Amino acid sequence: MMRDLSNDRALISINSMTVKPWSLEQLVEGCARAGISAISPWRDIVQACGAERAGKLIRAQGMTVTGLCRGGMFPAADEAGRRAALEDNRRAVDEAAAIGAQCLILVVGGLPKGSRDLAGARRQVRDGLAALLPHARQAGVPLAIEPLHPMFAADRACVNTLAQANDLCEQLGDGTGIAVDTYHVWWDPELAREIARAGRNILAYHVNDWLVPTTDLLLDRGMMGDGVIDLRAIRAMVEAAGYRGHCEVEILSAENWWKRDPDEVLRICIERHQTVV
Amino acid sequence: MMRDLSNDRALISINSMTVKPWSLEQLVEGCARAGISAISPWRDIVQACGAERAGKLIRAQGMTVTGLCRGGMFPAADEAGRRAALEDNRRAVDEAAAIGAQCLILVVGGLPKGSRDLAGARRQVRDGLAALLPHARQAGVPLAIEPLHPMFAADRACVNTLAQANDLCEQLGDGTGIAVDTYHVWWDPELAREIARAGRNILAYHVNDWLVPTTDLLLDRGMMGDGVIDLRAIRAMVEAAGYRGHCEVEILSAENWWKRDPDEVLRICIERHQTVV
């Protein structure tokens, strides 16, 4: 019989974007205070703290790090830009290793400035991933390709479906996997099929909600339960595919959640994780 | 040898949303003044004019009507709602026939209020189309299923890819086809394959552009050439699939193009049609 995970506080992870006002130190302390034992920081707060020091703080609290956000942004207008992106990605891998992250989340990048060549950008992403992979394998940091919603195809990620991410994993092999974020994939007619196909390649599962109306493409994500995504159905899909990891709450919300007291935000995340995720 | 259509003013059509301040009478007169001989009105201005009278005006100017926008919105929370939608769609078919439209554009609808059942909404769309089809066939009005960008899955259309639209056409058969709108499909990794698959089922081709940044999901579309869509490449795909119809300019732009003089907007549409579409 499958374990009912829905009421397990141990399986919630907090992405630092959900409590954006907090530093890494505050994130670690705030989550510990709330009884949450997993986090997923963005690089800005890790770098502000220093990756080595961040790793020590996290280990001292016994925290799980479900991912480091984010590497990627591979395409560039010229070779120098692509090389700079690769170098930055190698540093991201090292930071992920330093804090013991289970994976490095990759927002792969969109069109280079001035370009309309989407197929070309997608080839650059594949080539960038292939170039980064040896370093990531050596460091023991799995690369989690995150398909982003098609509305970000131009400026953030030209990998826009789970099918594309699965294809990339098949091409690139060991050391690559997928981050499934409900906000980005809930609309996909092939969702069930492609989650099943991803199987054990699912490295991270991000939860949040799609609000109606959505007033900003990037910064108006909803708290789980406030929107239209059937979160229980998608969670059942990822668990049926073999995923046994955390539900990582990632809510970019400039006008609502970022303006609230982060301790209150965590309380609501826990409640919603228990009732609707 | 394929005819070079790029400089042919006879192949531009103006959707009424591009010149939103205009009534149907103004649209017909304004387009005639600009040397444009094809339009695609939304139902609001057709109804304000009266469908029979609109048809007479349009025929008197010798205008082609590349489509009537729009039917659809099939899903509803209950049977009464679905019946009302079907009745309204039958009236839309009649209006399309009255103005001699080449097709009725369908924005199929999203989730019923309070629902998170996207697969169920998609079934309601298929059933609604099947129920409408006999009336449309009898009236000689082809139904053009328009896949909308995935960011509209919740509130406007749960048909979000050309693959879904092609599947529906295969299931429903004669009297159905597809409207390809560059804004909605440009990101699709399967674009070339699914346009080729659509073939002669392409009933309408809508052009516009994706701006970076896009500041509003619905009302910030760009003029052709101002964004990142490779319009020439997509036009080559639809022509290779056998499409020989118009390029219909549909730009919903509350903060820019709707605030300009519609005669100026038409001049720029013509120029961009010649240079970048």
Side-chain angles (χ1 to χ4, degrees):
Chain A
M1 206 181 81
M2 191 171 287
R3 185 162 62 116
D4 179 7
L5 305 171
S6 59
N7 288 309
D8 195 341
R9 187 177 298 197
L11 281 177
I12 188 173
S13 172
I14 300 296
N15 184 291
S16 64
M17 272 294 168
T18 305
V19 286
K20 192 165 187 291
W22 274 353
S23 66
L24 183 92
E25 294 85 341
Q26 289 173 307
L27 176 66
V28 171
E29 288 160 21
C31 284
R33 206 158 54 229
I36 293 170
S37 59
I39 60 170
S40 178
W42 279 56
R43 289 180 73 194
D44 57 344
I45 62 169
V46 170
Q47 291 171 349
C49 177
E52 296 304 326
R53 194 172 146 252
K56 278 179 199 151
L57 282 173
I58 289 164
R59 283 189 295 276
Q61 282 285 359
M63 289 258 163
T64 299
V65 181
T66 53
L68 174 66
C69 296
R70 56 176 167 67
M73 299 292 168
F74 293 105
D78 58 21
E79 184 54 37
R82 287 187 286 276
R83 206 161 41 230
L86 182 59
E87 282 313 307
D88 187 56
N89 273 294
R90 287 182 178 139
R91 285 191 293 275
V93 165
D94 296 339
E95 289 164 17
I99 64 169
Q102 293 178 344
C103 62
L104 174 63
I105 301 289
L106 297 178
V107 171
V108 299
L111 291 166
K113 200 168 169 58
S115 168
R116 292 186 173 88
D117 181 7
L118 192 57
R122 285 166 173 162
R123 284 190 297 271
Q124 288 194 33
V125 166
R126 182 202 57 204
D127 294 346
L129 282 164
L132 178 61
L133 198 47
H135 185 75
R137 284 177 181 151
Q138 196 165 21
V141 174
L143 301 178
I145 302 164
E146 182 171 3
L148 254 57
H149 195 286
M151 66 188 178
F152 298 119
D155 52 356
R156 290 181 189 273
C158 57
V159 171
N160 306 107
T161 63
L162 283 165
Q164 281 178 284
N166 277 326
D167 288 348
L168 283 166
C169 287
E170 283 182 9
Q171 289 169 37
L172 296 164
D174 193 44
T176 61
I178 292 176
V180 176
D181 184 311
T182 55
Y183 186 78
H184 294 304
V185 303
W186 74 277
W187 61 272
D188 190 343
E190 305 302 337
L191 184 60
R193 187 179 76 184
E194 294 296 333
I195 284 178
R197 181 182 161 208
R200 297 283 175 167
N201 274 343
I202 300 174
L203 300 175
Y205 180 53
H206 297 181
V207 294
N208 39 55
D209 216 332
W210 180 277
L211 300 175
V212 178
T214 291
T215 59
D216 185 275
L217 281 71
L218 184 63
L219 301 179
D220 189 31
R221 293 198 201 181
M223 175 65 68
M224 301 82 73
D226 289 349
V228 298
I229 302 178
D230 189 346
L231 292 163
R232 281 278 160 88
I234 301 179
R235 187 166 177 194
M237 291 177 202
V238 299
E239 290 183 358
Y243 182 74
R244 294 291 177 271
H246 290 72
C247 298
E248 178 182 321
V249 182
E250 186 181 39
I251 301 171
L252 288 72
S253 169
E255 296 303 318
N256 184 358
W257 298 101
W258 288 356
K259 292 186 170 173
R260 302 203 193 188
D261 171 13
D263 286 305
E264 182 205 348
V265 174
L266 289 194
R267 279 195 301 275
I268 297 171
C269 287
I270 291 168
E271 177 206 315
R272 299 296 177 87
H273 178 253
Q274 291 171 342
T275 54
V276 302
V277 174
Chain B
M1 207 180 80
M2 191 171 284
R3 183 163 62 116
D4 179 6
L5 305 171
S6 59
N7 288 308
D8 195 341
R9 186 177 299 195
L11 280 176
I12 188 172
S13 172
I14 300 297
N15 185 291
S16 65
M17 272 294 168
T18 305
V19 286
K20 192 166 188 292
W22 275 353
S23 66
L24 184 90
E25 294 85 340
Q26 290 173 305
L27 176 65
V28 170
E29 288 161 20
C31 284
R33 208 159 52 229
I36 293 169
S37 59
I39 60 170
S40 179
W42 279 56
R43 290 179 73 194
D44 57 344
I45 63 168
V46 171
Q47 291 171 349
C49 178
E52 296 303 325
R53 195 173 146 251
K56 279 179 197 152
L57 281 173
I58 288 164
R59 283 189 294 276
Q61 282 286 359
M63 289 257 163
T64 297
V65 181
T66 54
L68 175 66
C69 296
R70 57 178 168 61
M73 299 292 169
F74 294 105
D78 57 23
E79 185 54 37
R82 287 185 285 276
R83 206 160 42 230
L86 182 59
E87 283 313 307
D88 188 57
N89 273 295
R90 287 181 177 140
R91 286 191 294 275
V93 165
D94 296 339
E95 290 164 15
I99 64 169
Q102 293 179 343
C103 62
L104 175 63
I105 301 289
L106 297 178
V107 171
V108 298
L111 292 166
K113 200 168 170 59
S115 168
R116 292 185 174 89
D117 182 7
L118 192 55
R122 286 166 173 162
R123 284 190 297 271
Q124 288 194 32
V125 166
R126 183 202 56 204
D127 294 346
L129 283 164
L132 178 61
L133 199 47
H135 185 74
R137 283 176 181 151
Q138 195 165 22
V141 175
L143 300 178
I145 303 164
E146 182 171 3
L148 254 56
H149 195 286
M151 66 189 179
F152 298 119
D155 52 354
R156 291 181 189 275
C158 58
V159 171
N160 306 106
T161 62
L162 283 165
Q164 281 178 284
N166 277 326
D167 288 347
L168 284 166
C169 288
E170 283 182 9
Q171 289 169 34
L172 296 163
D174 193 43
T176 60
I178 291 176
V180 176
D181 185 312
T182 56
Y183 186 78
H184 294 303
V185 304
W186 74 279
W187 60 271
D188 189 343
E190 305 302 338
L191 185 60
R193 187 179 77 184
E194 294 296 332
I195 284 178
R197 180 181 162 209
R200 297 283 176 166
N201 273 343
I202 299 174
L203 300 175
Y205 179 53
H206 296 180
V207 294
N208 39 56
D209 217 331
W210 180 277
L211 300 175
V212 179
T214 292
T215 59
D216 185 275
L217 281 71
L218 184 63
L219 301 178
D220 189 32
R221 292 198 203 181
M223 175 65 66
M224 302 81 74
D226 289 349
V228 299
I229 302 178
D230 189 345
L231 292 164
R232 281 278 162 87
I234 301 179
R235 187 165 177 194
M237 291 177 201
V238 299
E239 290 183 357
Y243 182 74
R244 293 290 177 272
H246 291 71
C247 297
E248 178 182 322
V249 182
E250 186 181 39
I251 301 171
L252 288 71
S253 169
E255 296 304 317
N256 183 358
W257 298 100
W258 288 357
K259 291 185 170 173
R260 302 202 193 189
D261 171 13
D263 286 305
E264 181 205 350
V265 174
L266 289 195
R267 279 194 302 275
I268 297 170
C269 287
I270 291 168
E271 177 206 315
R272 298 297 176 86
H273 179 253
Q274 292 172 340
T275 54
V276 302
V277 175

